[in-house]
Every structure is written in C-alpha cells, then in structure tokens.
Amino acid sequence: MTDFSEPDSTIRHSSLDTRHSADDTVEYTVMTRDVVKVYRMGDTEVRALDGVDVTIRTGEYISIMGPSGSGKTTLFNAIGGLMKPTSGNVFIDEIDVAQLDANELAWLRCRKIGYIFQSYNIVKVMTALENVTLPMLFGGVPPDEAQDRAVEILTRVGLGDRILHTPKELSGGQQQRVAIARAFANRPAIILADEPTANLDIHTGEEIIELMKEMNQERGVTVICSTHDHKMLDISDRIVWMRDGKVQKIANRADVDIEINTMKEKE
Amino acid sequence: MKPATQPSADWEIGSLSLSLEVVCSMAVNSLRQRIGRAVLTLLTICTATAFMMYLLTMPRSTDPVDIQSWRLMMILSLVVSGAGVLNTMLMSVTQRYREIGTMKCLGALDSFILYSVLLEAAILGLVGAFAGAIAGLIISILLALADHGGEVFRAMEIANLPGKLLFVFLVGMALTTLGALFPAFIASKMPPMDAMRGEK
C-alpha cells in the first residue's frame, strides 16, 4: 500500500515550490502544510492530526478514507475553518484560514465553503426552500433573488415538487438532497461532505453520491468527502487514506481500480 | 474556477451583512414554528407583569407593616419573573444548539445569533408585558370592586395610572431582554462544531 505514497509526496512538494510561478498550469484550491492538532484529554495528549500535507486541485473530487479516530473529521474541520489547528497552515485559495478572525471565518464558511453533514442538519423549523435560502441571506443576496435561486437549485437536485415541505415530511435521502442544494447555493469554492451517506441505505446512498458527482462536474466545485463507503472511490479523482492522524497515502482513482478488489477481500 | 496561483481581487475577505427586515422575519417565523414554547414564555412574562401591576394599583393601607410586606412582594415579583424568563430563554437556546451550530456553519455571524435570540425575546416581552400590564389592572379593579363596591376607584391607587402602566410595561420588557441576554451571548460565542455536537 505504501507504493503510492512516494510519487505522490513528490508531487505535493513540487506543487508547494512552484505555486507562485507564472507558468504553473494546475490550479489549487486547498493546501495544508504540516497541520497538527492536539487535544488534551485529562493528562494525556491526543494528536488527532500529526503533520498533514495535502494539496487539492480546483474542481477535484477527493475522498478521505480511514478508520474512525484516524483524524478524518479533524482534518475536515480544519479545512472548513471550524477549528484552529495547533500548528501548521491551511490555505484555501491561498488564504491562510488560521489567520482569519471570527467574522472573516463566518464569511469564509458562508461564501467559500458548503457543508454536507452525516446527519443532514436541516433546520427543523424551516421548509426546504427556507433552508436553501438561508446561506444566501447570510451572504447578502436580496431575498427575492435568493428565493429564485433556491427554487432553481432545489429543482436541480430533484425536489422541485417539495420545496415547501419541512424536514419532518422528507425522507433521509430527500433531506440530504436539501443539504446538497444548501451547500451549493452560495456557489462555494469547495464542498466539504462528512460521511454524507452514512445514515442512508445503499440505494439512496448511491443516488446521493451520483448527485454530488454531477454537481461537482457541472459547477466545477471542488468536493472533499470523508467516507467509509467504498462506492465513493469509483467516482473520486483521488483518494486520501488517513491513519493515526497522518496521511498514509494518496492515490489516483486509476491506480486504485487495480487494487480495489484485494482491498475488499481484506475487509 | 479561478487560478489559485493569483490571489485575485474577489478573494478579498468580504463582510457579511443581513438586513434588519430579514432578521425580523426570521425571528417571527421561528416564534411561529415554536408556538408552544412562545406561549409558555408569554404566560411567564404576562403573569409576572400582571402581579406587578396589581401591586401598584391595589388599595393600600398606611400601616408600616403592610407597606413593608408590599415592598417585599414587589421585589419578589421582579425576582420571580426575572428567573422565569431567564429559565425559559436558556431552555429555548439549549434546545437549539444544533440549529445554531448549523447556522454558524452556513455563515451566520455571532452578532446574527445574538440579535435573533434577543429579538425573539423582545417580541415576547413586548406582547407579554403589554398583556400583563392590562391584565394586572383588570384584576386589581375586580378585586377592589369585590371589597369596596362603588368606592372602588377612591380606594385604589390610580394616581398617575398611565405612568404606572408604562413603568410596568417597560420593566417587563427589560426583564425579558435581560433574561435573554446571557443565553444569547452563550449561544453566539459557541464554536460551530461544539454547537453541532450539542443535544438535538
């Protein structure tokens, strides 16, 4: 499995070195440099992230895999500006997230990042339409325009006939579609999806994965998705494996295809 | 899709703003959706202010002991209503940790969370204190009527009645908003991930 880590780490470092040069043709949206996150639990220190370097290209679909406790969610939160790393830097379009104050972080979360959660997190007292409108209102879009855009994007995710339903009246898969519409509403630079299919049955999960891939291609939005789901690998451009707070390896999908059967057998 | 290699103008870190109109409509909507809790809070505010109004207008004796106990009741009514409102507002905020966390992930500013909780409380305070002041006056009149019959308005303390109504109304409003201030502050300062992990 370690076969892949060498060439990839070379790519990573060369990208770091050349990112300011004029002839650099590849665009990067997310870059982390030596990110460390230490949690204190009583007397013991837990290194949830232990020096993570990843570089994610614009428009890429990245899956982050790894057992629970491997630091997936922590990395995800660091990229999303939801928590500050103990040391290291997270760049989104060359902005160092760690340098931002509370209001700038709110702006980043609003305009540059769309979140999709395992448990959907649709605001319960609001309709699908209001949920999708919300981030646009936070972003200063006039209410009428926000509503038009929300209707358009809800129709795109297949909920055109359910825009006035509340979460109670929607199935899990439908709620996750609302969440996807909400995440894409502000035309963000990246989408962060934290195990979006973990609470769904296999069939619905596949539909959600497909929808996310379609939206990724249609809109050119970078998608970073943490997952346990092997089906996710098929549509990912690259896969990041994490273990014990470190990046174990990064592989292109083409390379993984060869391996995927042996991996399935192992588990 | 813009080249990340050129920190471009549209990557200037912008500011977020939300019109008062939008915040208001969201506060009203939130109250309507949680009407049960809203009614409960209203009842607390209403009862407290009604009690205060009753104390201010009821027929009073000049006995020093009575004046002493009247003062005590006045203080008591303030404490009870303050604690009641603080409790209901704290409950309503803790119930919504998850919702607040989600909103913060969607880009809600701390100030937005603060204002929306305060605004909800202020709306409840406005309605509750107004209803309470009127209700207190009516109760006071009815009770005095039972004791003093036709002499009711001579027995009651109705000097400067509009001033008393206004005073009770303002105190009710202030108590509600102050009671909501602490929970609102707690909610607004919560990191989004902590809020997300909060109870549903």
Side-chain angles (χ1 to χ4, degrees):
Chain A
M1 281 182 106
T2 40
D3 295 346
F4 294 107
S5 64
E6 256 325 290
D8 262 285
S9 62
T10 326
I11 291 168
R12 282 206 309 276
H13 290 122
S14 66
S15 72
L16 276 178
D17 297 333
T18 57
R19 74 186 202 280
H20 287 293
S21 66
D23 57 359
D24 189 357
T25 46
V26 190
E27 300 165 3
Y28 294 98
T29 302
V30 180
M31 183 154 52
T32 73
R33 260 195 294 183
D34 199 25
V35 172
V36 174
K37 178 69 181 179
V38 181
Y39 287 111
R40 291 204 148 275
M41 284 183 163
D43 290 339
T44 51
E45 278 190 349
V46 180
R47 289 178 90 80
L49 291 179
D50 196 3
V52 173
D53 286 288
V54 281
T55 305
I56 295 166
R57 299 179 195 115
T58 305
E60 216 175 5
Y61 194 114
I62 291 268
S63 285
I64 301 179
M65 297 203 73
S68 9
S70 59
K72 272 182 310 189
T73 304
T74 315
L75 176 62
F76 182 91
N77 292 347
I79 294 174
L82 297 177
M83 65 98 197
K84 282 203 162 146
T86 312
S87 68
N89 308 86
V90 177
F91 296 94
I92 296 179
D93 282 1
E94 299 234 328
I95 297 285
D96 189 347
V97 175
Q99 303 289 318
L100 303 182
D101 67 23
N103 281 1
E104 290 165 342
L105 274 176
W107 174 84
L108 182 91
R109 289 195 286 262
C110 185
R111 302 302 294 271
K112 290 292 161 185
I113 305 173
Y115 299 89
I116 299 170
F117 302 95
Q118 182 180 338
S119 46
Y120 327 129
N121 287 339
I122 306 298
V123 179
K124 279 183 197 155
V125 295
M126 291 186 179
T127 61
L129 183 67
E130 286 168 329
N131 265 286
V132 179
T133 314
L134 201 57
M136 289 189 272
L137 293 179
F138 288 149
V141 178
D144 290 344
E145 191 193 328
Q147 200 149 52
D148 292 345
R149 271 166 61 182
V151 171
E152 182 257 320
I153 198 160
L154 276 166
T155 310
R156 170 62 192 87
V157 300
L159 292 175
D161 53 342
R162 288 192 164 74
I163 55 170
L164 294 179
H165 289 224
T166 55
K168 254 183 276 173
E169 302 158 340
L170 297 171
S171 69
Q174 285 167 340
Q175 288 190 48
Q176 198 59 299
R177 280 168 192 271
V178 176
I180 291 171
R182 190 176 63 180
F184 278 90
N186 265 348
R187 301 172 183 142
I190 58 172
I191 292 283
L192 286 171
D194 190 9
E195 306 207 14
T197 59
N199 286 2
L200 300 170
D201 64 75
I202 292 172
H203 177 66
T204 316
E206 275 170 1
E207 284 176 0
I208 292 295
I209 293 170
E210 211 157 285
L211 177 64
M212 283 175 58
K213 182 65 181 175
E214 283 168 20
M215 301 283 278
N216 159 250
Q217 286 175 330
E218 264 174 41
R219 294 166 197 241
V221 177
T222 309
V223 175
I224 303 166
C225 183
S226 79
T227 184
H228 283 303
D229 193 339
H230 283 294
K231 285 185 299 299
M232 278 284 189
L233 303 188
D234 297 340
I235 55 145
S236 308
D237 297 315
R238 285 194 299 162
I239 300 122
V240 177
W241 272 273
M242 291 199 63
R243 185 171 284 272
D244 300 328
K246 291 189 169 109
V247 174
Q248 196 177 27
K249 71 168 179 170
I250 302 177
N252 293 316
R253 176 182 43 187
D255 302 327
V256 176
D257 282 345
I258 310 158
E259 222 193 331
I260 200 152
N261 290 323
T262 36
M263 231 170 52
K264 274 178 182 163
E265 279 164 23
K266 272 186 203 165
E267 289 192 3
Chain B
M1 272 209 281
K2 62 196 168 303
T5 45
Q6 305 160 7
S8 51
D10 50 319
W11 239 109
E12 268 174 51
I13 300 184
S15 61
L16 300 170
S17 62
L18 206 56
S19 72
L20 189 68
E21 194 190 334
V22 173
V23 184
C24 283
S25 77
M26 279 171 65
V28 171
N29 187 33
S30 167
L31 282 172
R32 209 171 31 214
Q33 295 294 332
R34 279 176 276 251
I35 194 73
R37 169 163 302 283
V39 167
L40 215 65
T41 317
L42 271 179
L43 274 176
T44 315
I45 302 163
C46 193
T47 317
T49 39
F51 187 48
M52 229 181 297
M53 192 63 204
Y54 166 68
L55 286 177
L56 278 177
T57 54
M58 71 185 225
R60 257 181 277 170
S61 74
T62 44
D63 188 334
V65 180
D66 283 353
I67 291 177
Q68 199 65 26
S69 64
W70 179 85
R71 283 204 185 117
L72 197 69
M73 287 211 289
M74 199 66 195
I75 293 168
L76 217 68
S77 79
L78 283 171
V79 172
V80 168
S81 52
V85 170
L86 183 66
N87 186 37
T88 27
M89 289 315 294
L90 262 177
M91 282 280 285
S92 113
V93 168
T94 33
Q95 261 191 344
R96 289 157 63 184
Y97 271 175
R98 201 183 172 78
E99 186 182 312
I100 291 166
T102 308
M103 287 199 176
K104 285 191 133 187
C105 283
L106 298 180
L109 291 171
D110 291 5
S111 58
F112 168 77
I113 305 289
L114 189 76
Y115 292 150
S116 63
V117 175
L118 282 181
L119 195 67
E120 276 188 47
I123 294 171
L124 289 174
L126 192 85
V127 178
F130 183 76
I134 303 291
L137 183 62
I138 293 171
I139 290 168
S140 186
I141 291 172
L142 289 178
L143 287 178
L145 204 62
D147 279 356
H148 302 269
E151 300 279 280
V152 52
F153 288 112
R154 202 174 304 161
M156 280 175 68
E157 302 277 331
I158 50 166
N160 193 19
L161 191 60
K164 281 178 180 168
L165 277 170
L166 188 69
F167 171 76
V168 168
F169 172 70
L170 288 179
V171 169
M173 276 280 306
L175 272 180
T176 317
T177 320
L178 282 177
L181 202 59
F182 173 66
F185 184 76
I186 298 284
S188 72
K189 287 294 165 214
M190 205 160 30
M193 266 349 256
D194 287 7
M196 302 282 308
R197 273 193 293 265
E199 302 304 315
K200 284 184 198 178

